[in-house]
Amino acid sequence: MSGNGNRAATAEENGPKMRVIRVGTRKSQLARIQTDSVVAMLKAFYPGLQFEIVAMSTTGDKILDTALSKIGEKSLFTKELEHALEKNEVDLVVHSLKDLPTVLPPGFTIGAICKRENPYDAVVFHPKFVGKTLETLPEKSVVGTSSLRRAAQLQRKFPHLEFKSIRGNLNTRLRKLDELQEFSAIILAAAGLQRMGWQHRVGQILHPEECMYAVGQGALGVEVRAKDQDMLDLVGVLHDPETLLRCIAERAFLRHLEGGCSVPVAVHTAMKDGQLYLTGGVWSLDGSDSMQETMQATIRVTAQQEDGPEDDPQLVGITARNIPREAQLAAENLGISLASLLLNKGAKNILDVARQLNDAH
């Protein structure tokens, strides 16, 4: 009896049970790797917390026979995860930032944007074309991509190639490339290939003059309940200031254009000597019509002085109380200004036609 009593006393002395933070994620291997990397960063900040990963399938994971742009759903890869967040089944959710719409459903916010990895697109070639580039592929070679943005830009640049939709997670797409004789190459985000440890499959990196990237590409976003101050404080330490400001500008540009995955919109951002540079473009579906411009803004990232919480601290769905508000607003204004410039020059017509054609096919 006395032995049991001692054990109980020891347990009491060890203090309360570790708090468990439940982290939602998609089930794919890449999603799990990305979530594990975020959890590892959080564990480094909070060694006293425990993290439990809750994996689930989303609509986008289930509908694999239709091009993403045709499904017409803005939250393809996020809805089920947000549902779990809403019902308090998870405390936070890890996403690829490019999957998160620029307008989030009420009650949610992006509480952290982690340091961006390589945002560019990469070409993976069929084994028989290893050593080639898109330029040197044979006439009428078929290149697989699930993205209108990539197809529009690359059709314009490489008119000798044909572009065809390819769906599925990274493992599935690579298997389709290697085992079917349908595709000569496929285009994927370089960051995903890096995270999977498949850099050796990258045959070519596409630079901005060939193919600008998607808004938020290469960055991970952590979504939480907008009013959950405890979680906002917990994940806020993961914000990478430069990535955050670049992505605010990119998301503001896309939101003001009212773009989405049903129209080809692409960006490129850079931060240098206190200047944030944003290049944005829009394309017709076949790439024959396009428009792009570059603007810059001065961004001062000084220590944040918060007088008190604001009514709505969100900008393009992102909450970052630990990053200077002035810098965030400057980044948002840059995105809006560039979108306005393109709209004034006729970008709306290009986007409207692209949307109508995409809906019709």
Side-chain angles (χ1 to χ4, degrees), residues 93-114:
V93 175
V94 178
H95 301 279
S96 292
L97 185 61
K98 68 175 183 175
D99 289 340
L100 280 166
T102 55
V103 180
L104 296 185
F108 302 106
T109 190
I110 300 163
I113 294 180
C114 307

Side-chain angles (χ1 to χ4, degrees), residues 167-301:
R167 289 289 320 283
N169 60 39
L170 282 190
N171 311 57
T172 306
R173 288 190 226 180
L174 279 177
R175 194 168 62 247
K176 284 180 180 176
L177 171 68
D178 292 343
E179 294 176 8
L180 307 176
Q181 297 304 309
E182 190 177 355
F183 299 100
S184 301
I186 57 175
I187 318 288
L188 301 165
L193 289 162
Q194 283 175 351
R195 291 177 186 131
M196 295 285 276
W198 292 341
Q199 296 93 320
H200 64 284
R201 291 300 309 262
V202 175
Q204 183 179 2
I205 292 286
L206 297 172
H207 293 291
E209 57 277 7
E210 297 165 312
C211 189
M212 290 200 293
Y213 44 80
V215 165
Q217 185 158 311
L220 300 178
V222 182
E223 190 177 19
V224 297
R225 291 177 288 274
K227 295 207 175 342
D228 190 342
Q229 198 53 54
D230 186 30
M231 273 304 128
L232 278 166
D233 291 343
L234 186 114
V235 304
V237 296
L238 300 181
H239 270 307
D240 176 67
E242 181 177 316
T243 303
L244 169 81
L245 295 168
R246 287 170 62 188
C247 289
I248 285 176
E250 292 172 17
R251 285 171 65 83
F253 172 72
L254 183 65
R255 181 196 273 191
H256 198 66
L257 281 177
E258 295 184 348
C261 68
S262 64
V263 287
V265 174
V267 293
H268 177 258
T269 48
M271 189 92 100
K272 193 178 176 191
D273 301 329
Q275 294 289 309
L276 176 57
Y277 297 86
L278 170 64
T279 302
V282 302
W283 286 261
S284 59
L285 289 190
D286 64 0
S288 60
D289 205 359
S290 75
M291 189 177 288
Q292 60 188 72
E293 292 287 349
T294 302
M295 289 180 84
Q296 68 193 80
T298 302
I299 306 279
R300 292 186 184 84
V301 185

Side-chain angles (χ1 to χ4, degrees), residues 60-121:
D61 296 313
K62 292 169 191 163
I63 305 175
L64 293 174
D65 56 352
T66 310
L68 292 178
S69 57
K70 299 273 188 262
I71 302 169
E73 169 64 67
K74 275 191 177 163
S75 48
L76 274 179
F77 296 109
T78 57
K79 193 191 280 182
E80 286 80 358
L81 295 163
E82 285 170 342
H83 194 48
L85 200 52
E86 189 175 32
K87 294 196 296 184
N88 267 338
E89 291 169 1
V90 295
D91 301 298
L92 57 102
V93 175
V94 178
H95 301 279
S96 292
L97 185 61
K98 68 175 183 175
D99 289 340
L100 280 166
T102 55
V103 180
L104 296 185
F108 302 106
T109 190
I110 300 163
I113 294 180
C114 307
K115 188 172 174 60
R116 187 177 221 163
E117 292 194 40
N118 184 339
Y120 298 115
D121 289 316

Side-chain angles (χ1 to χ4, degrees), residues 296-346:
Q296 68 193 80
T298 302
I299 306 279
R300 292 186 184 84
V301 185
T302 49
Q304 177 70 312
Q305 293 296 317
E306 281 285 12
D307 295 323
E310 295 167 52
D311 292 339
D312 182 13
Q314 286 199 46
L315 291 181
V316 283
I318 301 162
T319 302
R321 291 190 186 280
N322 53 341
I323 307 293
R325 183 77 176 169
E326 184 190 350
Q328 292 184 59
L329 288 167
E332 183 190 42
N333 287 335
L334 176 62
I336 292 169
S337 299
L338 185 62
S340 299
L341 175 65
L342 287 180
L343 290 169
N344 288 340
K345 294 179 101 176

Side-chain angles (χ1 to χ4, degrees), residues 8-21:
T10 309
E12 291 247 348
E13 284 159 17
N14 285 341
K17 197 173 161 206
M18 267 181 144
R19 182 178 167 200
V20 177
I21 307 294

Side-chain angles (χ1 to χ4, degrees), residues 113-157:
I113 294 180
C114 307
K115 188 172 174 60
R116 187 177 221 163
E117 292 194 40
N118 184 339
Y120 298 115
D121 289 316
V123 188
V124 179
F125 292 91
H126 186 281
K128 70 181 177 194
F129 291 120
V130 167
K132 294 273 191 192
T133 63
L134 289 182
E135 203 162 0
T136 58
L137 277 177
E139 191 83 19
K140 298 272 187 255
S141 292
V142 176
V143 177
T145 173
S146 57
S147 153
L148 293 179
R149 170 189 61 80
R150 291 172 182 146
Q153 292 181 81
L154 295 172
Q155 268 176 289
R156 184 184 178 92
K157 193 85 182 167

